[in-house]
Amino acid sequence: MADSSAANAASHLGSTQRRDAWWLENVPFIVVLGAFAIYTTWRAFEGKFYSAGPYLSPFYSPLIDPQHHWWPFSPAILILAGPLGFRLTCYYYRKAYYRAFFADPPACAVGEPSGRKYRGETAFPFILQNVHRYFFYIAVVFVAFLWYDTIIAFDFDGKFGIGVGTLIMLANIILLSTYTFSCHSLRHLIGGKLDCFSCATLGPPRRSAWQFITTLNERHMFWAWASMISVGATDLYIRLVACGALKDIRLL
């Protein structure tokens, strides 16, 4: 009887036997993810204010055809699929936006819309989530470009210098690197698929690397949020400096 009651309680959207405010956990997902999606879409299509002095917005890196010789649209659109695809297919982000925007499910032990036939990620378009490991390889390339941009941010007219923008870009790339390299796909690639480290080629070093990535992976949710906020804040700072609304302060 108890099992039957539990099944009936979860037969339609929002049905649950939970007594806590389970819906509160979806509020930051909706607000922050929604705001980030709107802002990044606007900035990607704006097509200007992408650099200021030695600073280049992470939304436009690498900068391709800024003079529109052969590409008439925003240069950001040429690279958008790489970083966006990595985040959209990320295991943590899947959980966040499935719950917040698709109610699939709204929360743990909370009912979904009635009549929905669960197919998971076996049918289009969600079957495309399985290419996440390949987006990881693409993300590594973008991280390399962003590290290069950060190094350039220390160069002021051929002289070493540090500005507020330099530190913002440095903090951003550190967070992006940590988020990227705490990825479940990298953890699996290094050693998660092994049953025996001592039996594998380079077993001890791979075990050490796997343990380090596992430590980062345990906080993957934090790195996901922190890097998402930092990349948006970095772009916003560079845009404000580029359009003259803000003056970058030289620290050195």
Side-chain angles (χ1 to χ4, degrees):
M1 181 66 70
D3 293 340
S4 177
S5 299
N8 291 331
S11 61
H12 61 274
L13 180 62
S15 296
T16 183
Q17 294 183 341
R18 292 175 58 170
R19 296 292 181 263
D20 62 318
W22 56 265
W23 51 270
L24 282 177
E25 68 178 276
N26 285 338
V27 173
F29 297 158
I30 295 172
V31 173
V32 179
L33 284 176
F36 182 77
I38 293 171
Y39 176 77
T40 53
T41 301
W42 168 63
R43 282 292 289 133
F45 284 90
E46 185 181 25
K48 57 183 180 179
F49 302 129
Y50 47 76
S51 65
Y55 310 143
L56 175 63
S57 165
F59 290 173
Y60 287 80
S61 179
L63 187 58
I64 303 174
D65 194 30
Q67 304 302 322
H68 305 291
H69 295 301
W70 56 271
W71 179 253
F73 309 107
S74 168
I77 299 176
L78 291 170
I79 63 169
L80 189 64
L84 181 62
F86 180 62
R87 285 193 182 264
L88 280 177
T89 59
C90 169
Y91 295 117
Y92 169 69
Y93 280 116
R94 293 187 212 179
K95 168 193 168 184
Y97 66 75
Y98 282 3
R99 289 186 174 187
F101 297 105
F102 302 148
D104 189 22
C108 183
V110 178
E112 300 181 33
S114 60
R116 173 179 291 177
K117 294 182 179 180
Y118 180 75
R119 294 186 297 174
E121 295 174 342
T122 62
F124 185 83
F126 298 112
I127 195 172
L128 298 177
Q129 302 282 29
N130 296 313
V131 301
H132 176 63
R133 70 186 67 180
Y134 303 107
F135 274 117
F136 165 74
Y137 304 141
I138 297 174
V140 171
V141 176
F142 279 92
V143 166
F145 278 115
L146 291 171
W147 269 110
Y148 174 78
D149 296 336
T150 302
I151 293 172
I152 296 299
F154 287 90
D155 183 356
F156 290 83
D157 298 322
K159 297 180 180 180
F160 178 82
I162 299 176
V164 172
T166 309
L167 299 182
I168 291 176
M169 291 182 66
L170 180 61
N172 177 57
I173 188 52
I174 290 174
L175 289 172
L176 285 174
S177 298
T178 309
Y179 166 61
T180 302
F181 294 111
S182 66
C183 178
H184 297 76
S185 294
L186 178 60
R187 181 173 178 267
H188 175 77
L189 182 66
I190 289 177
K193 60 184 178 181
L194 297 179
D195 294 324
C196 176
F197 280 103
S198 61
C199 306
T201 303
L202 300 175
R206 291 179 68 179
R207 182 175 184 274
S208 298
W210 176 81
Q211 288 177 321
F212 175 71
I213 297 300
T214 298
T215 301
L216 295 179
N217 180 260
E218 290 172 351
R219 295 167 178 80
H220 193 57
M221 180 181 73
F222 171 79
W223 304 124
W225 279 98
S227 63
M228 182 178 70
I229 293 172
S230 74
V231 72
T234 302
D235 172 80
L236 177 61
Y237 179 83
I238 294 173
R239 187 194 185 280
L240 292 175
V241 174
C243 71
L246 199 64
K247 182 178 176 61
D248 183 57
I249 300 175
R250 286 286 299 274
L251 305 175
L252 181 64

